[in-house]
Amino acid sequence: MNYVGEIVGVGSFIPPKAVTNFDLEKLLNTSDEWIQQRTGIVKRHWVEKNVSTSDLAYEASLEAIKNAGIDKSEIDMIIFATLSPDHDFPGTGCFLQDKLEIPGITVLDIRQQCSGFIYGLSIADKFIRTGDHKNILLVGAEIHSKGLDKTPEGRDVSVLFGDGAGAVVISRREKTSDDQSQIISTALHADGSYAKELWLPGPGNAFEDDRCTLAMIEEGLHYPKMNGRNVFIHAVKRMAETLTTTLKKNNVTIDDVDLFLFHQANIRINEKVAEVMGIPAEKIFNTIHDYGNTTAATIPIGMSDALKAGKLKKGMTVGMAAFGSGFTWASGLLKY
Ligand code: UT7
């Protein structure tokens, strides 16, 4: 039997507290004008103190499962993509599984940062195509706000990131035609020689002594570090490259694609990718102005918002691309 994976339910959850650029002006020696001009971000959402990454994921998952029209007991695998876990271990997928009360099924956490959702989609597709699994819950969820340097020293990174979660249910379907709704193709890449261009140094076992020390915290090694300009250049190059390859491999032209869902790190990155590839602006669904960069949650949040806005409809051909820490980058093509 030949199987394909179809996205049958999508959900998202954005924490209610909006943090505007003007709010950040009070903390970070930044300005609304700088943030909007350089990134496109107008606001992002940050969680209240008592909320965890798996809490956000839980809300997004419930919505995705409801929209899939199945019972949560029919889920037989969770794939959880995050760089901001509830705890170092176990993986946040286990905390989510406990909240969903679906013990015994397969749970897999993945660590591919901004490319995490497309990596997860590719993994889910493979588990489905083998016939092993039937209904996979793929979640991307992040709480950045608890880990950012909220002093002027951290402004280059801290203005960019927001909290949120997005989830999809991918179900196994018998393959009947090339035109049916399905994940068509994915491509996954990484280059670890750039690992320190965007990273969180501590705590970690690469340190000489204890993995977490007071000195490390005093040095601010527990805050993300980024070489923004280099990340920007590579993001444009790699997103355009992988997406072009995926389209060509499947004999699909830009005209054939109805909607592009790109990772949302900087509006200027997406504009450049569009320029390089000749994609009309109206085919790209951007959310960065509202949420900032929500890393692994970005693409499923975009999918959820696009559906709610009537921009994504059953039968549409969707192209996806993402780039982030690692460096990792990925692209995907699906018939929604
Ligand atoms: O999710 C995937 C990973 N992330 C990305 O893809 C992000 C990629 N990089 C970027 O989006 C951009 O590089 C940034 C938005 C991070 C920075 O924009 P930029 O145009 O590359 O700015 P820059 O780093 O070259 O800095 C320009 C100036 C500097 O001042 P001087 O040296 O020209 O006086 C910075 O100190 O802007 C200053 N600056 C700020 N000013 C106000 C940096 N951050 C801020 C800030 N507010 N938040």
Side-chain angles (χ1 to χ4, degrees), residues 29-30 34 38-39 114 155-156 159-160 198 226 228-229 231-232 263 265-266 268-269 293 323-324:
N29 185 25
T30 188
W34 190 96
R38 302 283 179 135
T39 72
C114 300
R155 68 177 182 177
D156 60 325
V159 299
L160 304 175
L198 173 51
M226 176 171 71
R229 282 186 196 183
V231 175
F232 190 106
H263 178 54
N266 188 323
R268 291 185 296 128
I269 292 178
N293 182 349
F323 179 91

Side-chain angles (χ1 to χ4, degrees), residues 119-139:
Y119 263 78
L121 200 66
S122 186
I123 294 166
D125 190 36
K126 268 101 194 167
F127 272 78
I128 293 268
R129 281 177 191 269
T130 60
D132 261 5
H133 286 71
K134 215 168 174 183
N135 295 303
I136 300 180
L137 174 68
L138 167 62
V139 192

Side-chain angles (χ1 to χ4, degrees), residues 176-224:
T176 51
S177 93
D178 286 343
D179 280 342
Q180 77 192 92
S181 294
Q182 62 185 288
I183 299 163
I184 300 168
S185 188
T186 48
L188 313 177
H189 317 266
D191 185 347
S193 64
Y194 294 98
K196 295 184 179 176
E197 290 295 90
L198 173 51
W199 69 314
L200 186 75
N205 291 331
F207 290 92
E208 276 180 27
D209 298 317
D210 289 343
R211 63 190 306 278
C212 184
T213 63
L214 192 55
M216 175 189 293
I217 290 166
E218 279 166 357
E219 238 188 285
L221 298 180
H222 59 304
Y223 293 130

Side-chain angles (χ1 to χ4, degrees), residues 38-270:
R38 302 283 179 135
T39 72
I41 300 168
V42 178
K43 65 174 172 71
R44 73 288 291 140
H45 289 244
W46 286 359
V47 293
E48 301 292 346
K49 281 182 184 160
N50 57 350
V51 176
S52 72
T53 306
S54 62
D55 288 335
L56 300 184
Y58 176 70
E59 298 296 338
S61 299
L62 286 185
E63 191 177 78
I65 293 167
K66 182 168 167 257
N67 289 337
I70 61 169
D71 189 80
K72 63 183 181 176
S73 62
E74 294 175 76
I75 299 288
D76 54 13
M77 180 175 192
I78 296 172
I79 303 176
F80 200 116
T82 187
L83 65 65
S84 50
D86 280 8
H87 302 279
D88 267 14
F89 74 86
T92 311
C94 288
F95 291 101
L96 172 65
Q97 179 194 26
D98 185 45
K99 285 175 184 162
L100 287 169
E101 297 174 309
I102 42 175
I105 62 167
T106 315
V107 174
L108 175 67
D109 272 53
I110 58 169
R111 297 279 306 265
Q112 275 59 32
Q113 299 69 247
C114 300
S115 312
F117 180 79
I118 303 180
Y119 263 78
L121 200 66
S122 186
I123 294 166
D125 190 36
K126 268 101 194 167
F127 272 78
I128 293 268
R129 281 177 191 269
T130 60
D132 261 5
H133 286 71
K134 215 168 174 183
N135 295 303
I136 300 180
L137 174 68
L138 167 62
V139 192
E142 307 285 359
I143 292 182
H144 287 296
S145 59
K146 293 186 183 186
L148 298 171
D149 179 358
K150 300 188 194 80
T151 70
E153 261 182 60
R155 68 177 182 177
D156 60 325
V157 172
S158 298
V159 299
L160 304 175
F161 291 97
D163 305 338
V168 298
V169 174
I170 302 147
S171 288
R172 191 174 77 197
R173 297 282 183 254
E174 200 177 317
K175 186 174 167 67
T176 51
S177 93
D178 286 343
D179 280 342
Q180 77 192 92
S181 294
Q182 62 185 288
I183 299 163
I184 300 168
S185 188
T186 48
L188 313 177
H189 317 266
D191 185 347
S193 64
Y194 294 98
K196 295 184 179 176
E197 290 295 90
L198 173 51
W199 69 314
L200 186 75
N205 291 331
F207 290 92
E208 276 180 27
D209 298 317
D210 289 343
R211 63 190 306 278
C212 184
T213 63
L214 192 55
M216 175 189 293
I217 290 166
E218 279 166 357
E219 238 188 285
L221 298 180
H222 59 304
Y223 293 130
K225 317 280 174 223
M226 176 171 71
N227 180 356
R229 282 186 196 183
N230 208 19
V231 175
F232 190 106
I233 292 164
H234 283 263
V236 173
K237 180 170 180 273
R238 296 306 200 176
M239 282 169 63
E241 185 182 273
T242 182
L243 187 56
T244 303
T245 309
T246 290
L247 296 184
K248 268 198 190 144
K249 190 177 141 194
N250 293 286
N251 293 318
V252 168
T253 65
I254 284 165
D255 281 351
D256 297 329
V257 179
D258 300 298
L259 190 74
F260 289 92
L261 291 172
F262 289 161
H263 178 54
Q264 305 282 308
N266 188 323
I267 195 76
R268 291 185 296 128
I269 292 178
N270 293 354

Side-chain angles (χ1 to χ4, degrees), residues 276-290:
V276 171
M277 293 185 65
I279 299 173
E282 63 274 14
K283 280 196 176 188
I284 303 174
F285 189 80
N286 288 314
T287 55
I288 190 162
H289 44 281
D290 273 342

